[in-house]
Amino acid sequence: MSFTELAERVITAEPATRDELEQMLTAPETQTFTMVDAASSLRYRFFQNTVKLGNLYSNGSGFEGKVLEIAPDLTNEDIAADIAQITGTKDTITVDFLQLEGHSSLPAMRALRILAATRVAAPRATLVVGEGRADTLQSLQPLALHIANALVLADREAENGTLVLADLTMITDGRFKVLGAEDRDLLAEHKEFMHAHGYALPEVAPTSGGCGGNCACGSGGCGA
């Protein structure tokens, strides 16, 4: 199956079928970045380089709509069935990666395929990466933001402010524009907040670009 052709088709013709969504989830791991690139083209078509932030220093995620709870014990068939139920929606969709006792976290590459399949199923929906984002996606979080266009920030003071610092750095490095922030420099503001509270700024290793150095952005996606 051509993921690029599928992404083009869901815009102008038929939506993705449950079988096609399951094929995305079961595709060889070597095809993951091709899949991400196709989903990224949809993200940028409808949302450009904008990103919505939930829980911007307040209680609650700030997002309503549908929630997909992805547990590590679910089969690809189960997940495809859940994603198929939101096919074509323009509502907000939050994908939560649940952590279950006695189970390892979902592999990051599998999580990327789930996000890509969700974007293909609902290309015009605001796609939020919710709970379990850091534990599941780990170093691939920057790449996930080229599929999703929204995420939930941690509490501002969590881990001495370093969690929000990492998220805002990721957004800045990816050259995303935060909706509602206007001309504010959220990263600079948060560094000032950390300094005022006596929180040390960690040394940050240089990144290799908006894709987190993990994707071959060659067909117009991933912010090209």
Side-chain angles (χ1 to χ4, degrees):
M1 178 174 63
S2 169
F3 302 122
T4 300
E5 291 178 1
L6 176 61
E8 293 173 353
R9 193 198 77 202
V10 299
I11 297 173
T12 58
E14 302 174 357
T17 66
R18 174 174 167 174
D19 286 343
E20 288 171 329
L21 296 173
E22 188 170 348
Q23 287 181 54
M24 294 183 70
L25 300 179
T26 57
E29 191 169 287
T30 54
Q31 296 184 27
T32 300
F33 293 138
T34 302
M35 191 184 309
V36 169
D37 201 31
S40 174
S41 69
L42 296 173
R43 184 251 199 265
Y44 282 96
R45 180 185 180 94
F46 294 107
F47 301 99
Q48 293 79 49
N49 68 329
T50 63
V51 61
K52 289 184 178 180
L53 296 181
N55 192 25
L56 191 57
Y57 320 137
S58 62
N59 293 326
S61 72
F63 294 111
E64 299 180 353
K66 304 179 185 300
V67 178
L68 291 177
E69 294 186 334
I70 308 298
D73 60 343
L74 290 178
T75 66
N76 288 321
E77 184 178 1
D78 292 333
I79 297 172
D82 289 341
I83 295 175
Q85 293 181 15
I86 52 88
T87 296
T89 184
K90 297 180 182 179
D91 293 338
T92 297
I93 303 169
T94 300
V95 178
D96 288 338
F97 295 109
L98 305 183
Q99 310 294 311
L100 297 183
E101 186 176 352
H103 292 268
S104 299
S105 296
L106 203 71
M109 295 286 275
R110 187 181 180 202
L112 283 178
R113 291 196 294 275
I114 291 169
L115 290 173
T118 305
R119 172 58 72 199
V120 168
R124 294 170 176 81
T126 292
L127 181 55
V128 186
V129 191
E131 293 182 18
R133 167 167 56 89
D135 290 337
T136 301
L137 290 164
Q138 301 181 44
S139 64
L140 296 185
Q141 287 189 81
L143 188 53
L145 203 49
H146 290 277
I147 305 172
N149 63 300
L151 55 82
V152 180
L153 292 181
D155 181 80
R156 197 175 193 184
E157 296 188 35
E159 296 193 19
N160 293 337
T162 57
L163 295 183
V164 170
L165 178 68
D167 285 343
L168 293 178
T169 299
M170 173 176 67
I171 290 166
T172 300
D173 288 349
R175 299 179 183 178
F176 292 104
K177 179 180 179 181
V178 177
L179 293 176
E182 299 175 343
D183 295 327
R184 293 170 57 192
D185 187 336
L186 296 179
L187 180 58
E189 288 181 15
H190 187 66
K191 288 180 177 179
E192 291 178 3
F193 168 85
M194 291 180 66
H195 178 74
H197 285 73
Y199 299 149
L201 289 171
E203 294 185 6
V204 179
T207 63
S208 54
C211 289
N214 292 299
C215 77
C217 303
S219 63
C222 291

